[in-house]
Amino acid sequence: MNNSDLKHWIHKSLNVLPRNIELYRTALTVKQYEALEFLGDSLLGFIVSEYLIKSSVTQPGLLTDIKAKIINNSNLAQKAQEISLSSVASIHSTSGQEQITKHVVADMLEALIGAVYQDQGLDRCKDTIFKILNLEDISLDEYIQKQSVSESIDLENKNPISALQELLAKHGIFPPEYSDGDMVKGSPHCPVWSIVARCKIRDESLSSEGVGNRKQKAKEEAARKLLPQAVKYLQN
C-alpha cells in the first residue's frame, strides 16, 4: 500500500492525519510492531483506567473487571476487524497471510495507538482510543448491574491470569505458580520469553507453556492455556 492510500485509511479509521507515516507503517508490519505495541498497551491501560476512575464506578475489583473486558485481546481483535486492519497489515515476502491472526491484529491495534501518541501527542491519542473503543457508548451502569446479579466467571473476557486465579479460589484451590521465564529465542533487544503455569487440582498436576515478546504476554498466554484444563477437571 502506498503512502497516500495508507494515510487515507488512517484518517478514515482513526480520524488522524499522519505527520510521520513511517510510524504507522511500522505499527502495521509483522515482526516490526512490537515496540510500538508495548507503548500502546500501556497507553491503552492508562486511558481506559482514567476514564473509569472518572465514571461512577468506585469498587476497585469492579474497575479491574470492566477494564479487562474493554481491553482484552478478543475485544481489540473485534475492533481491529471493524476497521479492516488486516487489509492494510504488511508481511514479509517470505511470510504467509496466515500470520495475520486475531492475536496479531489486536497487537497491531495497540501498536497503532503507540504510533498516534508518538506522532500526535497524548490528547490526540486519547481521542483515538475513545473512537476505536467507543468508550462513551459503553453503558457502565448496565455492566455493573449484570455483574451484581451474576457470580459466574467470564472466562472469555477476563484477563486470563485473573480468571484462572479467581476460578481456583472459588473452589478452594491454591493460586497457580508461574516460572520466572526463559528467553527461548530472539536477542536481548528483542527477546521471546517462555513461562510455564502450574496448578494442582485434587491429585492432578496441570501445566501449560506460554510464549510472548514480553514476560507479561507469556504469562497471560500460559494462564489462557491452563484455564480450559482447570475447567475440565473441576467439572468432572
Side-chain angles (χ1 to χ4, degrees):
M1 177 176 285
N2 61 41
N3 285 350
S4 178
D5 288 342
L6 183 56
K7 286 181 179 180
H8 176 75
W9 180 87
I10 293 168
H11 185 223
K12 177 182 177 182
S13 303
L14 308 180
N15 195 29
V16 168
L17 291 173
R19 296 168 182 159
N20 182 356
I21 191 64
E22 291 308 314
L23 278 172
Y24 301 89
R25 193 174 293 282
T26 297
L28 293 166
T29 302
V30 170
K31 296 185 178 180
Q32 294 183 13
Y33 62 76
E34 285 90 352
L36 284 170
E37 182 240 334
F38 174 76
L39 176 61
D41 179 66
S42 299
L43 288 163
L44 186 61
F46 166 67
I47 298 301
V48 172
S49 296
E50 182 186 55
Y51 168 70
L52 292 175
I53 286 293
K54 291 180 179 179
S55 71
S56 58
V57 185
T58 57
Q59 307 96 308
L62 190 54
L63 285 168
T64 300
D65 287 346
I66 297 175
K67 176 184 171 183
K69 179 179 175 65
I70 293 173
I71 66 175
N72 71 76
N73 273 348
S74 178
N75 190 46
L76 293 181
Q78 175 62 36
K79 299 302 180 183
Q81 182 180 0
E82 290 174 6
I83 61 175
S84 301
L85 190 152
S86 60
S87 68
V88 295
S90 298
I91 56 177
H92 297 287
S93 59
T94 57
S95 303
Q97 191 67 27
E98 65 273 5
Q99 289 198 40
I100 311 298
T101 63
K102 288 184 178 181
H103 182 79
V104 167
V105 295
D107 286 350
M108 283 183 170
L109 189 62
E110 291 180 325
L112 279 173
I113 291 170
V116 172
Y117 172 77
Q118 289 200 325
D119 186 51
Q120 307 272 327
L122 183 59
D123 288 341
R124 175 59 68 183
C125 179
K126 183 183 295 187
D127 292 342
T128 300
I129 290 173
F130 269 69
K131 175 178 174 59
I132 291 172
L133 298 180
N134 299 315
L135 281 182
E136 293 178 339
D137 294 332
I138 294 176
S139 176
L140 296 180
D141 290 338
E142 180 181 348
Y143 182 80
I144 293 169
Q145 184 178 9
K146 288 180 179 179
Q147 288 294 103
S148 65
V149 298
S150 174
E151 296 180 355
S152 63
I153 299 175
D154 189 344
L155 299 181
E156 180 180 354
N157 292 318
K158 268 185 178 292
N159 178 290
I161 297 173
S162 301
L164 178 59
Q165 183 165 332
E166 184 176 335
L167 176 67
L168 296 177
K170 185 177 181 181
H171 291 269
I173 300 170
F174 286 114
E177 296 181 351
Y178 296 92
S179 64
D180 292 334
D182 296 313
M183 194 175 78
V184 293
K185 59 180 178 179
S187 67
H189 299 293
C190 190
V192 176
W193 296 97
S194 168
I195 287 181
V196 177
R198 298 182 177 89
C199 69
K200 189 170 185 178
I201 299 178
R202 303 185 185 98
D203 294 326
E204 188 71 26
S205 295
L206 308 178
S207 67
S208 63
E209 179 190 24
V211 176
N213 60 342
R214 300 200 305 276
K215 284 188 177 182
Q216 182 65 18
K217 289 285 187 181
K219 185 176 180 180
E220 289 178 1
E221 183 65 19
R224 183 178 293 109
K225 289 181 178 179
L226 192 55
L227 260 172
Q229 295 184 53
V231 170
K232 177 183 175 180
Y233 277 94
L234 289 169
Q235 287 178 342
N236 291 338

